[in-house]
Each structure stands twice: as C-alpha cells, then as structure tokens.
Amino acid sequence: MDKLLIEGGVVLSGEVAISGAKNAALPLLCAALLSREPLTLTNVPALNDIDTMLRLLEQMGVVATRDTDTIILDAAGLDNPVAPYEMVKTMRASILVLGPLVARCGEAKVSLPGGCAIGARPVDQHIKGLSAMGAEMSVEHGYVHARSPCLKGARLFTDMVTVTGTENLMMAACLAEGETVIENAAREPEVVDLANCLVAMGAQISGAGTDVIRIRGVGRLHGATHRIMPDRIETGTYLCAAAATGGDIRLSGTSTSYLDAVIDKLMDAGCEVDATRDSIRLKAPPRLNSVSLRTAPYPAFPTDMQAQFMAINAVANGTAIIRETIFENRFMHAVELIRLGADIKIDGNAAVVQGVEKLEGATVMATDLRASAGLVIAGLVARGETLIDRIYHLDRGYEHLEQKLSALGARVKRVR
C-alpha cells in the first residue's frame, strides 16, 4: 500500500494549477444518465473517485470516452439501472445515480453507499423527496429501490441541508411532470455548477445558489458541453499549506469567489491574499496567528477545510477553538496530529488547539480524505520525516498531489 514520505521544513513558493472540482464532477457525471444524447465534460480531474464513478456508469450501459481532462458520456444504451454494492462501497457520491435513474428509466436499485468514516450521512432525505414526487421507495437487503412510471412535481422540504440530496432531487425533477420546489436547498457552488450544466442540457431551473430551487420538468434533455468549476477545497488546501510553511505561492485556474470564509480566516491569521479573476496569490508571515472557526453549510466555513486549519493552528501563535457542526466523527486526525507533537484537546464537537513552536516528524495514518490533507500540511512543517500511511484517501480527492507540492519546493515522494 502506498505511503507518502515528507521531509518537512521547506517554505513553499512558486505556482501550481488547480484541478476541476471532485465534488462538482461526480454529480455532473451522473447527469449524463438523464439524456440519450452525449454529455461532454471538460476540466475533469484525474482521481480515484472519478474512475469509480465511470466504472459504475459503464456497467449501467453508459459509454465513456476519455481524453486527458475531457470525458464524453453517451447514455443512449442505458439498460441496467443498478448500482451494486461492490462498486459503490468506497464512494458516498454513488447515491447520486438514484434520482437520474428513476427519472429516466422509471426504476433504480442502488446500494447504500460507503465512503469516508467521518460520521452518519443518511440518505433519508433523498428517499423522502423522491417519495413526495410519487416514487415507490423501499430499502431492502442494503439497497434502495425506487419505482415510478412518471415522477410528479412536488414541494420538497429537506429536514437538513444536504448537498447530495439537493443534487439528486434536482436531477430527478428535471424530467418530472410539472414544477418541483426544493426548500432548504444546499447553496454550495457545486450545486450551482450542476444546475448550469442541466440548463445547458435543456432543463428549466431557477434559484440555484439560494435555499429555494425551482425546477419545471421537461420531456427530454439533450446533449451539451460543460466545463467543471475549479476545486475550491484543493485551492484552500494549497493555500493552507503555503500559510503553514510561511510561503508565497500563486494558484492558477481558480478563484476566491467560492472561498470567502476560508480567505477571511487566512487573512485573520496574518496572510496577504491577492486575487485576479482566475488566480490567487498568498504570502504568509513567518508564523501565523491562531484562528477559531465553526463549520456550517455554505457560505459559512466548510467542513472539508476543518482538518487543514487544525493543522495550521497547531503551529500558530495562540489558542484556537474549532467547532465541527456537520459531522460528528470528524476529529480523527487530531490524534494523528498529536503524534507529531500538536497540543490538541477534544471536547465533544469542539477542539482546543494550542499552537506549539514546532512539530516533529513521525509515522501517522490517514483516516479520511480531508484528514489526510491536514496531515500533509503538518508533515510539511514538521522537523524531520513524516510518513503518512493509507494515502489512498488522498488519491480520491487530490490530483497529482506530490507533483504539485514538489513544484512548490516541497520534499515529498510516494513510497511503498
């Protein structure tokens, strides 16, 4: 199993390009199921989760053609509306095939998905919404079954803000009869990116990016070409890596538009941030100031950046309190950071991080995708060598991580 070996102590500098967003690409791949005409996606990142989703779609009858960062998906031959357990057990986003399949095929059988062990992420809101649209729903033997000859528009209110739930219901509503209104909808930029693609395919959607989305169903969707938005979490991760090391970097192909909460915290920590329409430059002080934060749905501070900020707070000046409100089991990286010398105390959904002068390299284990990124940042500033085990988590969400870090001067390599 691959591991990542980092020799810390290098100040990051230089420029790297940011890849397309994983969390936008996965639902966009599923959107191809809604049409018999090809959907072309560009700026697709090369990630394990993308490969898993493509294999899942292909076993349903979708033909996928890939050329560097472009994928053409042809779902004209869709004939197997089933997502088996062995193909979805490692990826939570597999549930996103549910809505498009029942809308297009009238039925779907989707295994309850797996993914990172960061807490309960139930699919009950997906089931509740599709039921309200007239689908006959059941959960048997670990599979969600959905059947409906014709979905009907409905008023849907989600009990909690759910990104994949909003995306699933929005896709299903595109081919439903009448108007669907999703209230308490997720406002994430990835939801807007999906809506923009669906509109390009002929869907009638308004309100994406707000908490009320309206979709008027149409008889069919046609093909389209869509460029995937830049990955805001990858962007934030590299900014944190530069901040922690006292670096000066420029990120191209990205924007601060989706990162207000993260940029504000980095500036509070003492960083200088300058942005153009498609690039960001960050210059960090020799040592950061601690910044407290509270995760919450967009546009508040993203839970997917919590581990990275715990890492930079671990070596910052002062004490920070981090409150995690999204997932109940998302402090597993704290134990690994403590192995590197961090001073962190956990109290329920809060972590108290007292900054220390330095971290010491050690062997640590990645527990989930974003926790892995936090450990990489810690390894970059730790004295000596840090060996990160189970980095298959990183390969799910960060394209060419070691190459990009090396381009910024980091001493990092993949080992077995």
Side-chain angles (χ1 to χ4, degrees), residues 47 99-100 102 104 116 230 250 270 285 292 304 318 320 335 355 363 383 404:
L47 302 170
V102 69
R104 166 94 182 274
C116 289
R250 181 178 182 272
S292 295
D304 279 354
V335 175
T363 298
R383 186 167 61 183
K404 291 186 179 183

Side-chain angles (χ1 to χ4, degrees), residues 32-93:
L33 296 168
L34 291 165
S35 176
R36 299 183 64 85
E37 298 178 17
L39 173 63
T40 300
L41 299 175
T42 64
N43 201 31
V44 183
L47 302 170
N48 285 355
D49 273 11
I50 299 295
D51 296 337
T52 299
M53 184 63 81
L54 287 175
R55 289 194 299 271
L56 177 61
L57 296 176
E58 286 171 340
Q59 67 89 34
M60 295 177 184
V62 178
V63 177
T65 305
R66 188 166 195 169
D67 181 14
T68 59
D69 69 345
T70 298
I71 296 178
I72 302 173
L73 299 149
D74 186 347
L78 176 64
D79 60 0
N80 182 36
V82 177
Y85 171 75
E86 59 270 17
M87 297 197 71
V88 306
K89 61 184 179 181
T90 62
M91 188 177 66
R92 190 74 193 174

Side-chain angles (χ1 to χ4, degrees), residues 151-163:
L151 293 175
K152 305 290 185 181
R155 175 183 174 271
L156 310 178
F157 182 87
T158 59
D159 298 331
M160 56 183 289
V161 176
T162 162
V163 175

Side-chain angles (χ1 to χ4, degrees), residues 270-313:
C271 297
E272 297 177 17
V273 180
D274 296 306
T276 67
R277 185 178 60 84
D278 61 355
S279 71
I280 305 172
R281 181 185 176 188
L282 179 139
K283 185 176 182 180
R287 192 179 186 195
L288 301 172
N289 297 317
S290 291
V291 286
S292 295
L293 59 92
R294 178 182 182 273
T295 66
Y298 187 87
F301 192 91
T303 180
D304 279 354
M305 286 298 304
Q306 178 255 105
Q308 297 90 316
F309 268 78
M310 185 177 288
I312 69 174
N313 276 319

Side-chain angles (χ1 to χ4, degrees), residues 11 23 69-70 165-166 229 335:
V11 174
N23 289 341
D69 69 345
T70 298
T166 298
M229 65 175 282
V335 175

